[in-house]
Amino acid sequence: MSILKDWLNRFQQQRDSQSFAQVVAQCQTPLQGYCRRLTAGDMAMADDIAQETLISVYQQVGQLQNLDAFKSWLYRIAYRHFLHIQAKQNRWKSMTEQELEFALQQETGCGSEQQACEDERLVLQYMALLTHEERAVITLNHTLEYSHQQIASLLDMPLGTVKSHAKRGKDKLIAFSHRQQRGAA
Amino acid sequence: MKPSEDFILSQLQRGFVADSPEQQKRFIQQTVLRMQRKSRQRMWVLGICSVVAILSLLLFFPLEPLVQVLSSQTLVAGISRSTLLLATLPVVVVGYVMILIENTR
């Protein structure tokens, strides 16, 4: 975080392309990962949302007082961009278990890709089972290690709603893995 | 592959998988180019909107009080409050329009 903070400081002062590129480099993996989870693996659109988010960062970075809150601010902007595109294009609706099962059967696998990449792809496919709120809450909570309280403020949701999205999302994933296991047995 | 419950939960807790260095480099380049294009567009739109706002204010605002105040050599204390208000109004409105344009972009 300290390297990111140094570059953010420099970027806030100079607003130059080089420091912006360094800020992008420092936060691109978690931001892309988060957007990919939100879109349930729509890589092109996820990268588009990530880029739009970073452009908003470029335009509004002067308003950010607390640099320690940068990443939360980044994920908040990304979620808003995602909601905006979703409302406009009516995409990334959640699938039923049967639809996902069918989609997984059509899947041919990564071939020569690494195991971590295969696993991430599987997680992205599983995200399709969840609503967009559940995807955001589950990813922020489990992968990015935000508390429910922090997520509530980040996504502008009541704490109770965050907790119920987290529980419902997790239950859906567990239920589907049980169904898959039963199918395999 | 039929993943178990534990597998799914452990995968959720694992960090994100980074793209290859080439893909990362391409993403950064695309983002910087897109940012530069957006900034140029922004400058153009802001410039054009500002010119239009200033021109329309010059055309439709009563600027005589401002000219009178500036040319009368009178001390500010000697000018009535309403004249001062009328004289500074165009400047305030131009500023307000500029802030509105900037914030809504």
Side-chain angles (χ1 to χ4, degrees):
Chain A
M1 185 71 189
S2 68
I3 301 173
L4 176 62
K5 220 168 147 180
D6 290 345
W7 281 113
L8 273 170
N9 253 323
R10 194 178 140 178
F11 176 49
Q12 271 190 332
Q13 284 157 14
Q14 300 180 4
R15 303 290 297 248
D16 61 326
S17 297
Q18 198 209 341
S19 51
F20 177 67
Q22 287 298 330
V23 171
V24 175
Q26 292 297 318
C27 59
Q28 88 175 95
T29 300
L31 178 63
Q32 280 179 304
Y34 177 58
C35 294
R36 286 170 185 175
R37 295 265 180 96
L38 287 178
T39 58
D42 185 342
M43 301 297 207
M45 282 311 291
D47 283 1
D48 200 53
I49 294 169
Q51 286 179 345
E52 278 300 315
T53 302
L54 289 161
I55 288 166
S56 297
V57 165
Y58 178 81
Q59 290 170 343
Q60 298 166 23
V61 75
Q63 298 167 15
L64 184 67
Q65 305 292 323
N66 178 12
L67 293 185
D68 290 324
F70 174 73
K71 284 207 168 166
S72 309
W73 184 61
L74 189 72
Y75 299 133
R76 178 199 287 263
I77 298 174
Y79 189 63
R80 283 194 189 150
H81 277 297
F82 164 77
L83 288 182
H84 179 69
I85 293 177
Q86 197 201 31
K88 240 172 43 179
Q89 302 185 2
N90 201 20
R91 297 168 77 154
W92 311 305
K93 287 186 175 160
S94 54
M95 287 184 182
T96 62
E97 288 190 346
Q98 289 85 351
E99 284 170 336
L100 180 61
E101 216 156 35
F102 181 73
L104 289 174
Q105 279 163 11
Q106 306 303 306
E107 192 59 36
T108 51
C110 283
S112 61
E113 284 177 87
Q114 293 167 349
Q115 189 59 43
C117 173
E118 284 259 20
D119 294 343
E120 179 62 22
R121 211 153 95 153
L122 196 70
V123 173
L124 290 176
Q125 285 169 329
Y126 269 52
M127 285 288 132
L129 276 177
L130 312 180
T131 64
H132 64 80
E133 294 96 340
E134 289 162 356
R135 288 175 206 166
V137 170
I138 291 270
T139 306
L140 288 168
N141 185 214
H142 289 263
T143 313
L144 296 166
E145 296 176 343
Y146 282 91
S147 69
H148 286 160
Q149 187 71 56
Q150 288 171 316
I151 297 170
S153 105
L154 202 150
L155 299 180
D156 288 328
M157 274 180 200
L159 181 60
T161 312
V162 169
K163 284 181 178 170
S164 61
H165 283 312
K167 184 177 182 324
R168 217 173 299 141
K170 199 171 157 186
D171 288 349
K172 278 185 194 172
L173 293 175
I174 291 171
F176 187 69
S177 71
H178 286 167
R179 183 188 164 106
Q180 290 275 88
Q181 293 282 299
R182 277 199 305 274
Chain B
M1 185 181 178
K2 308 288 181 194
S4 67
E5 171 188 335
D6 291 341
F7 172 82
I8 288 295
L9 294 178
S10 69
Q11 287 306 310
L12 284 174
Q13 273 150 11
R14 179 183 45 71
F16 295 113
V17 179
D19 283 350
S20 67
E22 293 79 33
Q23 285 172 316
Q24 291 190 7
K25 208 170 153 190
R26 202 177 323 127
F27 180 83
I28 295 170
Q29 282 171 346
Q30 281 174 351
T31 310
V32 171
L33 282 176
R34 207 164 154 172
M35 176 274 286
Q36 287 169 340
R37 205 171 48 235
K38 266 248 161 92
S39 316
R40 270 199 301 273
Q41 277 176 357
R42 194 177 148 93
M43 291 290 280
W44 271 105
V45 172
L46 191 64
I48 291 168
C49 288
S50 308
V51 168
V52 170
I54 291 165
L55 278 179
S56 49
L57 280 170
L58 285 175
L59 287 173
F60 298 112
F61 250 87
L63 292 170
E64 298 90 82
L66 183 63
V67 177
Q68 278 172 13
V69 168
L70 290 175
S71 59
S72 65
Q73 308 282 319
T74 322
L75 290 171
V76 176
I79 303 166
S80 75
R81 197 179 286 176
S82 55
T83 312
L84 264 180
L85 184 72
L86 199 60
T88 51
L89 205 56
V91 180
V92 173
V93 174
V94 168
Y96 181 66
V97 169
M98 299 281 276
I99 290 166
L100 273 186
I101 292 169
E102 180 58 22
N103 283 344
T104 49
R105 288 216 11 89

